[in-house]
Amino acid sequence: MKLWTQFFIPTLKESPADAEIASHKLLVRAGLVRKLGGGLYTYLPLGQRVMQKITRICREEMDRAGGIELWMPHVHPAELWEQGPRWAAAREIMFRADSAGDGKRAGKDPEFVLGPTHEEVITPLVKAEITSYRDLPKNFYQIATKFRNEIRPRYGLMRAREFVMMDAYSFDTNDDNAVKSYFAMKAAYESFFRRLGITAIAVEADTGVMGGSFSHEFMVPAEVGDDDIIYCEESGYAANREKATSALVPADLADAAPAGAIEEFATPGVVTIAALEAAPYAVSADRQFKTLVYVGDGKPFLIVLRGSDELEEAKLGALGFTVVRPATAEEIEPVLGAKPGSLGAVRGTIRNADALAGVFADHAIRLIGNGVTGANKDGFHLRNVNVARDLAVTKFGDFRRVRPGEPCPKSGRPLQSRRGIEVGHIFKLGTKYSDKYGAVYTDDQKQSHPMVMGCYGIGISRTLQAIIEQSHDADGIIWPWHAAPFQVLICVLDPQLPEAMELATKLGNAAEQAGAEVLVDDRAERPGVKFKDADLIGLPLRLTIGGKGLKEGIVELKWRTRKDVEKLPVAEAAERIAAAVREGAGA
RNA sequence: CGGGGCGUAGCUUAGCCUGGUAGAGCGCCUGGUUUGGGACCAGGAGGUCGCAGGUUCGAAUCCUGCCGCCCCGACCA
């Protein structure tokens, strides 16, 4: 039992000016966190208790799924990363961790960095320590602080520079076993979020800089989320928009027959899809080819889409480049022969085709017959362009951004879209890191193989905020039982009355014996203040002891989720509270 | 990093355009009256107006630079 006056819960009537979304405001107003700087937060005692709740449940689920907890350093030798597969891609978000020193290293690469994640640490460790199939599989995890110099920290704990994450790494002898490990983790995640009392759905996701073969994100549906989830209720298909596909292009699509030879025509001043749609050209966007130039690891390449489609940049990851960026106008002209606005991928029109790393086309362009594209000559376009006959495509792929309303790839029903907060991510990595670091084992035939890896993350601190985002009302937080910092608040309206505090102690003990953690509001505040704060901090069960009620021999029980108040005779109160606690814990 | 906005007491902010004694609400301290949904009265403490330059007789206010924070975009748990 904790007395409010001996604890520390600095609640605020007003929201801080820098908080934008409900959960961020409530985190601060309810006295869970305070900001130190952009993306840097102190967890106050109440917030820390919630962190411990989430951490404990996470640990239990990880242990149950066969995870083995360890602890890795957060200061990493930079060399370790320089040797790894993604230094170039990751260094921008990494904090350097040199001594403050004399400034002589300024401008040079750092000696140490703060760990944004730990593949680069765990893989060499496992390489050194595990060499036999007898010691596999293994799944190591830690629950620890991560450091990422986010380009734009935002929304309180939602995107912080320093945050708490559970990260796990599985090592298996072969692909089948790695898939088993992957789905064991998926199940553990589902159990974790269910126990916390929040809805998090697993969606297919892009593997991003992590690499690997497939992955799921766990999303808490919320309007303020950073990600778009594309889903179909009928088939259960759900994917991050970055990864989502649709059945827009029929599998049995037959390419349109060419209507005639390619013709060049003048289009002075026309540099946009929209301008070609307008008179006098009147070419609808879905009959235009859009040709984009990107640079992958220093070499330009083309992406061809329908004029009506948008490129989904994340899908370029499938091309295997380490760093990809849009080309600049200066880079484009020498290669293609024209400025942006007149570009195309028609065979023979590209000035320096040898300079290209490839021409990659979205499947959907096959829906175009006799289309229009740039002539690679400023102010000219080509008509009667046909995909199979005319375009110099190296490879087809899925590069376009799916839009809601397109047919679901499983059911064919229209896809829907909603926003979500990513709270967890699981990756089947394959052998990307084990190859790089030489993490191999010897099988029972004395053969050496790379270990097949998976990696898994849960944003613990982000989950804290996601719970609030998903579970609050106009008055404050509504904690799910198992995430709540305390489960029972005993509101003593007249703490100066000895009998009131005695009863609070007695009933608090009863609640504790039933398995609850109890906070007693013993402040000498007016009732209104106490009730407002009670709603704000949102403990699931509130017990009110007032001088007035005591005279009548009653106390009051109220659930944070409900409006009604249950009046209990003092004589029955202890028993009734214990029952309510058991009910809350079981719910 | 590009675009936009904001820095005034612990918090929320007015004042800035049009330069002239820095104000309010909340919170805090003292006393009193109150006491079941953020009470009231009286008194009080608390500010280098983000920092550094400049203009001016005089700068929170005008100008320049820097720093910090927030929002929109690309990245992530």
Side-chain angles (χ1 to χ4, degrees):
Chain A
M1 219 178 311
K2 283 274 181 212
L3 295 178
W4 190 304
T5 55
Q6 291 172 18
F7 203 57
F8 184 67
I9 311 175
T11 58
L12 259 32
K13 277 191 195 176
E14 289 176 295
S15 295
D18 60 10
E20 186 84 358
I21 64 174
S23 55
H24 185 191
K25 291 175 182 173
L26 289 172
L27 272 174
V28 179
R29 286 191 55 212
L32 274 73
V33 303
R34 285 294 183 267
K35 180 163 76 177
L36 177 65
L40 302 171
Y41 288 84
T42 296
Y43 295 84
L44 301 177
L46 209 57
Q48 175 64 2
R49 286 183 73 100
V50 180
M51 287 293 280
Q52 284 170 348
K53 290 289 157 60
I54 299 172
T55 301
R56 200 187 71 217
I57 292 174
C58 182
R59 184 172 281 128
E60 285 173 9
E61 290 303 324
M62 290 303 296
D63 287 345
R64 187 153 75 185
I68 316 163
E69 188 169 10
L70 48 52
W71 179 269
M72 292 179 266
H74 296 92
V75 176
H76 299 174
E79 201 183 344
L80 189 68
W81 281 83
E82 287 163 14
Q83 291 163 358
R86 53 181 175 169
W87 172 241
R91 60 182 301 174
E92 294 224 335
I93 61 139
M94 293 176 69
F95 286 106
R96 33 200 316 154
D98 296 347
S99 63
D102 55 7
K104 281 183 184 163
R105 278 193 81 87
K108 296 182 189 164
D109 275 354
E111 195 173 355
F112 299 101
V113 293
L114 295 182
T117 174
H118 282 75
E119 283 80 5
E120 277 75 357
V121 176
I122 193 78
T123 316
L125 177 83
V126 168
K127 170 207 158 53
E129 304 298 333
I130 297 183
T131 52
S132 162
Y133 74 99
R134 296 176 199 275
D135 295 323
L136 295 174
K138 286 281 181 285
N139 186 346
F140 297 104
Y141 78 94
Q142 65 176 350
I143 299 174
T145 307
K146 292 283 181 278
F147 300 90
R148 294 185 193 173
N149 196 3
E150 288 292 339
I151 304 164
R152 180 146 91 88
R154 183 160 37 166
Y155 295 155
L157 303 180
M158 211 59 102
R159 183 177 314 196
R161 287 190 161 109
E162 179 182 325
F163 58 97
V164 176
M165 177 165 140
M166 186 290 298
D167 50 318
Y169 309 88
S170 67
F171 297 84
D172 279 282
T173 52
N174 60 40
D175 216 58
D176 285 350
N177 289 335
V179 169
K180 276 183 202 148
S181 294
Y182 180 89
F183 283 100
M185 292 307 291
K186 186 159 177 277
Y189 274 39
E190 283 160 355
S191 177
F192 167 74
F193 290 114
R194 189 173 53 245
R195 284 181 65 188
L196 279 176
I198 56 168
T199 303
I201 53 178
V203 309
E204 292 177 24
D206 181 65
T207 53
V209 69
M210 199 66 82
S213 41
F214 60 91
S215 116
H216 284 85
E217 282 170 348
F218 284 76
M219 296 283 199
V220 172
E223 280 310 305
V224 300
D226 282 341
D227 292 278
D228 284 317
I229 307 166
I230 302 287
Y231 68 100
C232 169
E233 276 173 25
E234 189 162 306
S235 68
Y237 176 78
N240 189 310
R241 193 193 63 193
E242 293 181 346
K243 168 83 176 179
T245 60
S246 74
L248 188 70
V249 183
D252 56 354
L253 176 73
D255 289 335
I262 291 185
E263 291 171 19
E264 188 178 279
F265 62 107
T267 51
V270 170
V271 293
T272 62
I273 302 285
L276 261 181
E277 280 195 284
Y281 310 106
V283 182
S284 65
D286 60 4
R287 288 193 48 238
Q288 300 184 36
F289 296 96
K290 179 192 287 188
T291 308
L292 303 174
V293 188
Y294 273 73
V295 176
D297 297 339
K299 215 173 170 192
F301 64 90
L302 303 187
I303 292 288
V304 186
L305 301 153
R306 291 193 304 171
S308 53
D309 285 337
E310 293 295 318
L311 172 67
E312 180 56 71
E313 278 200 25
K315 291 181 178 177
L316 297 180
L319 297 175
F321 298 108
T322 305
V323 178
V324 171
R325 61 169 174 84
T328 62
E330 293 71 36
E331 290 170 314
I332 291 171
E333 201 170 354
V335 180
L336 278 281
K339 296 187 180 69
S342 303
L343 305 180
V346 172
R347 225 175 257 121
T349 67
I350 300 168
R351 182 186 289 172
N352 187 4
D354 292 343
L356 292 175
V359 177
F360 304 101
D362 185 79
H363 293 298
I365 66 166
R366 293 180 52 224
L367 295 167
I368 303 175
N370 305 304
V372 169
T373 190
N376 288 326
K377 197 166 137 188
D378 288 335
F380 291 91
H381 280 74
L382 302 174
R383 64 166 69 96
N384 291 337
V385 175
N386 287 275
V387 175
R389 183 188 68 184
D390 303 321
L391 295 187
V393 175
T394 314
K395 197 177 163 194
F396 283 90
D398 175 24
F399 301 110
R400 61 184 294 279
R401 176 174 293 175
V402 165
R403 276 186 290 259
E406 292 177 11
C408 167
K410 288 186 180 169
S411 69
R413 304 284 301 161
L415 288 166
Q416 295 178 274
S417 161
R418 71 195 298 188
R419 307 284 289 172
I421 300 164
E422 181 188 356
V423 287
H425 204 155
I426 57 179
F427 298 87
K428 179 172 168 290
L429 283 177
T431 58
K432 174 175 175 175
Y433 292 89
S434 36
D435 284 339
K436 184 79 190 180
Y437 290 100
V440 297
Y441 70 96
T442 307
D443 69 13
D444 58 358
Q445 306 296 314
K446 303 179 186 173
Q447 295 293 309
S448 181
H449 304 279
M451 298 179 202
V452 184
M453 292 176 60
C455 74
Y456 317 91
I458 290 177
I460 300 288
S461 41
R462 182 181 281 183
T463 296
L464 187 165
Q465 189 168 347
I467 294 170
I468 298 173
E469 190 61 38
Q470 190 171 85
S471 185
H472 71 270
D473 62 16
D475 294 316
I477 302 169
I478 304 173
W479 286 115
W481 188 270
H482 295 284
F486 298 88
Q487 293 76 48
V488 176
L489 175 67
I490 300 183
C491 228
V492 185
L493 298 185
D494 303 281
Q496 75 285 0
L497 297 177
E499 64 267 36
M501 285 306 291
E502 277 166 27
L503 183 59
T505 305
K506 188 178 151 223
L507 297 181
N509 283 333
E512 282 186 341
Q513 274 166 23
E517 293 160 301
V518 179
L519 178 67
V520 178
D521 186 354
D522 61 333
R523 292 175 301 168
E525 288 287 351
R526 296 166 58 82
V529 173
K530 295 188 164 214
F531 289 139
K532 286 289 183 190
D533 275 346
D535 288 342
L536 181 59
I537 70 170
L539 304 187
L541 203 52
R542 187 183 85 196
L543 190 67
T544 306
I545 298 175
K548 210 188 276 179
L550 277 185
K551 280 181 193 150
E552 302 165 21
I554 59 155
V555 297
E556 292 166 14
L557 190 66
K558 183 184 175 300
W559 293 93
R560 178 65 178 84
T561 50
R562 292 168 54 170
K563 284 268 178 263
D564 58 302
V565 173
E566 190 181 343
K567 291 186 191 297
L568 310 175
V570 168
E572 298 168 20
E575 196 181 323
R576 184 67 195 90
I577 287 154
V581 167
R582 286 189 292 269
E583 184 190 335

